Amino acid sequence: MSQAEMGAIQREDSSDVAAFISGNRAALDRLVLRHKDRIFNLCYRLLGDKDDAEECAQETFVKVFRSIGDFRLESSFSTWLYTIAVNTCKNRRNSADYRFWKRILRFTHDHGDEEGEGPAEIEIPDNAPSPLAQLAQREQEVMLQSAINSLPYDQRTVIILRHVEELPYDEISRITGYNLGTLKSKLSRARIQLQKKLRGA
Amino acid sequence: MECSRVRHILLSEAEGDLSEELRGQLRDHLEKCRSCSLQFQALSEQSELLRSLPRHEAPPAFLENVRRRVEAPRQSLFEHIRACLPAVMGSRPLFRFAATAAVAIVVLTSARHVLRESSVEHGVLVIPTPPAPATPGTPSAPSDAFVDNRTSDDRTGMDESNTRHSTQAGERAASVPFADRPSVSLPSSAGGANQPGVLPGPAPGNMRQPTEQETANRAAESSRLGNVAPRRPLLQKQAAPLPSAETTGRMQAGKTSQSPAKEGPTESKSFARGGSSAATGIAPTSAPPAARPGLADNSVQSRPSAEVGSRQKQPMPALAPPIPSPASQPSPLSPGARTHEVSLTLTLDPPDNSVRGELKSPAASQQRMKDSRDLSFSKAVRPSQSVLSPGQDAQAPTLEEPSKPATGADLLRQRMSSIRSAVLQAKGTIVSDKPDTGSTAPSVLVLEIPAQNYPAFIAQLRTFGGTELKSGEHAPFPPDSIVRVTVTLSLPRAEKK
């Protein structure tokens, strides 16, 4: 995403937030439609489960719109959105409920979540080289996602924000609350850890 | 550039934030060092891999769901609780343990309750209640009294009605030395054959077999008594070592109390035997007139099979004015139990020959059975003290030739023992008695009756003659209290010597 695109999105966000605060319901729809996929993808990568990701993404938007009066436009709307999404996913992951059901369903659902319902097919464009390549790509994604899931949550968060969402350091720093040094060291450890996991896999 | 330093800045290079100068040095090193080059390659591949991860889109209904949730009213109470639940269940093992413990407590409590109820109904399982603090000396009195009265004497023959539990041949032989004791006493408890070593055989002089009705009644009675059976050994233990005024009785009591463990199992059997001997006792209809009162008295509290006795005697007026009683003898009371004092005079009914013929009719007999059942004490009551002692029945009285004419003293003796058995049936205790069988002075009994059984006891007492309240009142007493009754026995004027 280029700087210009980012700037354009930020401007639209600001006007829509203002419109929503002044009572324009359509602004809500525009904000949701503009960010839902990124937030959903972030939640999915953070949690590794589609249902959890949908729940957390919805909850993120609900929280945002309920507390939008507190939004001071000091940072971009998307940064605020990311911040709430990361915290929501963290809370969900820490909840005993989540851990309990994850333990129960690990051997039954994980497989289906990752490759069963064909979300990868939707994602893979038509010009994909071959079914074999699709399969290889899907397997690669499953492998990578499980390696990400095995990381500690803070490392997982920074590596996703940095290398999946490709956010700049300063925005990641605002989202996570880490200063730049902490962020870089966490990122380094996350990458070494991930390398070990992938090599082991 | 050292490899260790290169490894350090490799990550920065992979992140793309290395200065131009360092990047040049790094490239020089990577061209020479294959290990560092492979490391850098792996990191670059990883970055590419992460970047190439497919982007998942939100589900189709995402916007609708968000809109619905945003526009919905603020969290309901349920949602609030649900939101708080993760915090509550934060330590899941602890939560599960608490839930399991709660369920276990509920199940165990209800099961115990159900078992207790069913045990009362069916007599299958009785959860023992802790015994009430026993008064030293108090429980022994009835025990001894019954041992004494167990023996037969010249009166015994007349109490056909009581002999439901009366003794068999062996016991009678054993009781011969005490032949001058009052005889008619008839503890209503079962277990007549429990005296160790004395196995009662069939009663001699068995004149007729028990009827079907009698058998049924006995069975019902035995099942009723089954409910209280497990308590008996304990009570007997209390009674046995306590001092007694009559040494012969004590000997027998001690002997009896040595076998508490045997009592439960043998109980119903011995009860059946008692029944057969009751049948034995019923037969002699030619009892002397003096025997009649005994028959009537004891039939009230004895088995339905022996219901030749009469309650028709009950309404008969007292013939003599009450005789003032001496002061009741002091005796230790149960600590902590509330005690109510009641003093009354019992004017004994004279023997009445006219009743006899009437009572022999079957209809009257049936009526007596019914009345007796009505009089039975509440089974649900668990008295704080009970003197039911099966062993005492073992030597219980006794057939004897109904030859001697009744005298006032004899009547008194009969009544005394009838009252004793009534006390037993009411699960009370005899604190003191004054069995002055040889004199005409009024006999005084001091009894302690559990308040629950007090009304029934008084009702039974009235079947023996006219009662007159001297002090205290028959007002309903609190259930857990004890009523101390001082009964002054007086003879009808005509019978007095």
Side-chain angles (χ1 to χ4, degrees):
Chain A
M1 200 178 291
S2 69
Q3 287 288 337
E5 285 175 17
M6 291 279 286
I9 287 175
Q10 277 190 21
R11 279 191 297 278
E12 287 176 22
D13 283 348
S14 299
S15 65
D16 282 337
V17 167
F20 179 78
I21 291 172
S22 63
N24 185 354
R25 290 286 156 192
L28 181 143
D29 294 0
R30 287 197 297 272
L31 286 166
V32 171
L33 288 172
R34 194 177 300 134
H35 294 283
K36 67 180 173 72
D37 290 340
R38 290 174 67 199
I39 295 298
F40 177 80
N41 192 55
L42 172 69
C43 293
Y44 176 70
R45 294 299 170 203
L46 283 171
L47 296 170
D49 180 84
K50 279 207 158 57
D51 292 335
D52 286 334
E54 183 181 2
E55 171 65 25
C56 281
Q58 285 184 18
E59 197 178 334
T60 300
F61 280 105
V62 171
K63 282 178 182 173
V64 161
F65 288 117
R66 282 199 174 143
S67 58
I68 205 161
D70 303 333
F71 182 51
R72 295 279 173 258
L73 294 171
E74 289 161 359
S75 61
S76 70
F77 179 77
S78 65
T79 304
W80 190 42
L81 209 53
Y82 273 121
T83 308
I84 292 175
V86 165
N87 289 330
T88 303
C89 290
K90 186 179 180 181
N91 290 341
R92 175 148 188 103
R93 196 182 162 276
N94 287 345
S95 78
D97 200 28
Y98 175 83
R99 276 183 278 139
F100 177 71
W101 288 111
K102 277 297 130 215
R103 208 181 311 146
I104 298 284
L105 302 175
R106 178 163 296 158
F107 300 104
T108 56
H109 273 209
D110 265 12
H111 215 58
D113 281 346
E114 301 298 345
E115 60 179 1
E117 304 161 12
E121 283 179 84
I122 297 170
E123 298 301 325
I124 289 169
D126 287 338
N127 59 358
S130 69
L132 192 65
Q134 287 184 25
L135 186 65
Q137 193 174 353
R138 211 184 302 165
E139 280 184 355
Q140 200 177 50
E141 185 196 346
V142 170
M143 188 183 68
L144 197 54
Q145 182 64 50
S146 62
I148 291 171
N149 289 345
S150 69
L151 293 177
Y153 189 76
D154 54 343
Q155 295 182 13
R156 193 193 308 187
T157 306
V158 293
I159 209 168
I160 286 169
L161 290 174
R162 176 64 184 158
H163 291 282
V164 177
E165 298 298 324
E166 299 179 86
L167 297 177
Y169 282 124
D170 57 340
E171 190 170 356
I172 297 172
S173 183
R174 278 197 293 273
I175 289 168
T176 57
Y178 303 132
N179 61 38
L180 204 58
T182 309
L183 177 60
K184 283 187 176 177
S185 92
K186 279 188 185 296
L187 197 55
S188 300
R189 266 181 272 143
R191 294 201 64 167
I192 294 167
Q193 197 81 12
L194 189 62
Q195 194 67 29
K196 285 180 186 168
K197 302 273 181 191
L198 290 173
R199 205 182 298 148
Chain B
M1 189 180 266
E2 298 294 318
C3 277
S4 58
R5 178 160 164 73
V6 168
R7 294 289 164 91
H8 192 72
I9 62 172
L10 265 183
L11 281 166
S12 300
E13 170 60 14
E15 298 298 327
D17 53 352
L18 206 62
S19 66
E20 280 301 320
E21 184 195 351
L22 279 175
R23 188 175 293 167
Q25 294 178 14
L26 181 65
R27 279 185 186 151
D28 291 343
H29 179 83
L30 290 180
E31 282 174 8
K32 288 178 260 180
C33 179
R34 181 172 164 72
S35 169
C36 289
S37 173
L38 283 173
Q39 182 75 20
F40 180 71
Q41 193 181 342
L43 280 173
S44 302
E45 281 174 3
Q46 188 195 75
S47 297
E48 187 58 34
L49 209 57
L50 288 168
R51 201 172 296 118
S52 68
L53 270 178
R55 302 201 156 254
H56 292 269
E57 291 176 1
F62 190 86
L63 175 62
E64 284 71 31
N65 289 334
V66 170
R67 200 189 290 147
R68 183 169 42 80
R69 286 176 66 173
V70 168
E71 290 168 359
R74 297 294 277 190
Q75 254 186 347
S76 66
L77 181 64
F78 175 75
E79 283 170 327
H80 191 74
I81 290 170
R82 195 156 168 254
C84 293
L85 210 55
V88 174
M89 293 165 58
S91 56
R92 179 162 288 273
L94 185 67
F95 181 80
R96 258 180 286 178
F97 174 75
T100 311
V103 169
I105 286 168
V106 168
V107 168
L108 288 177
T109 310
S110 54
R112 187 162 180 267
H113 188 71
V114 168
L115 280 178
R116 184 188 288 251
E117 295 229 324
S118 69
S119 74
V120 171
E121 281 173 19
H122 308 298
V124 177
L125 180 142
V126 173
I127 298 170
T129 52
T135 316
T138 307
S140 76
S143 162
D144 290 329
F146 271 103
V147 172
D148 293 336
N149 294 323
R150 213 173 289 139
T151 60
S152 54
D153 71 348
D154 52 346
R155 288 294 129 230
T156 326
M158 70 191 170
D159 53 351
E160 310 102 336
S161 63
N162 319 341
T163 48
R164 179 76 192 282
H165 299 291
S166 62
T167 57
Q168 283 78 29
E171 290 166 11
R172 281 207 293 159
S175 63
V176 167
F178 319 114
D180 58 341
R181 299 281 176 202
S183 65
V184 202
S185 142
L186 189 56
S188 61
S189 57
N194 285 327
Q195 188 181 0
V198 182
L199 277 179
N206 196 348
M207 296 190 184
R208 72 178 176 88
Q209 293 297 316
T211 64
E212 269 185 31
Q213 177 65 50
E214 287 166 1
T215 313
N217 288 334
R218 281 196 299 272
E221 194 62 35
S222 129
S223 73
R224 182 179 77 83
L225 288 165
N227 285 333
V228 295
R231 267 201 298 274
R232 287 191 194 153
L234 181 67
L235 293 160
Q236 245 191 351
K237 221 180 259 179
Q238 288 176 350
L242 293 168
S244 137
E246 292 155 305
T247 50
T248 54
R250 189 171 10 172
M251 276 170 54
Q252 298 240 350
K255 198 174 163 193
T256 310
S257 66
Q258 283 166 2
S259 61
K262 288 184 182 177
E263 287 162 7
T266 58
E267 189 174 62
S268 59
K269 210 163 103 184
S270 62
F271 206 91
R273 286 202 203 97
S276 73
S277 50
T280 308
I282 290 170
T285 52
S286 60
R292 283 297 124 201
L295 173 137
D297 297 339
N298 294 296
S299 64
V300 172
Q301 69 263 8
S302 63
R303 302 287 77 77
S305 65
E307 303 310 1
V308 210
S310 102
R311 251 179 84 175
Q312 283 86 336
K313 297 176 60 147
Q314 187 176 342
M316 281 188 62
L319 297 182
I323 297 171
S325 76
S328 61
Q329 301 171 19
S331 84
L333 292 172
S334 303
R338 282 168 297 169
T339 307
H340 304 273
E341 295 278 352
V342 173
S343 177
L344 50 85
T345 305
L346 174 62
T347 305
L348 301 176
D349 289 339
D352 185 1
N353 293 342
S354 68
V355 186
R356 198 198 302 171
E358 182 192 345
L359 290 178
K360 278 158 71 179
S361 72
S365 177
Q366 293 289 332
Q367 179 61 31
R368 283 296 304 119
M369 286 183 211
K370 183 175 174 293
D371 293 342
S372 172
R373 275 195 293 275
D374 292 341
L375 261 179
S376 66
F377 293 99
S378 161
K379 292 188 281 287
V381 171
R382 292 171 182 272
S384 56
Q385 298 180 357
S386 168
V387 290
L388 280 179
S389 174
Q392 292 165 353
D393 271 354
Q395 298 147 338
T398 93
L399 290 175
E400 210 38 49
E401 304 76 36
S403 54
K404 293 192 181 176
T407 64
D410 294 333
L411 178 61
L412 203 59
R413 277 201 292 268
Q414 292 170 32
R415 294 306 192 195
M416 287 283 276
S417 34
S418 301
I419 291 166
R420 283 187 183 107
S421 65
V423 171
L424 270 195
Q425 201 168 347
K427 300 187 169 56
T429 56
I430 300 175
V431 178
S432 75
D433 59 353
K434 194 171 150 196
D436 50 350
T437 53
S439 74
T440 56
S443 293
V444 178
L445 285 168
V446 181
L447 316 166
E448 284 185 351
I449 309 294
Q452 304 98 311
N453 296 337
Y454 182 73
F457 173 74
I458 289 298
Q460 197 163 14
L461 211 60
R462 283 181 180 137
T463 64
F464 305 148
T467 58
E468 188 174 326
L469 207 57
K470 289 204 299 182
S471 68
E473 51 183 345
H474 295 318
F477 300 103
D480 291 327
S481 59
I482 290 171
V483 185
R484 169 181 276 220
V485 195
T486 307
V487 183
T488 307
L489 292 174
S490 71
L491 291 170
R493 195 176 297 278
E495 290 290 321
K496 280 188 179 173
K497 290 177 182 173

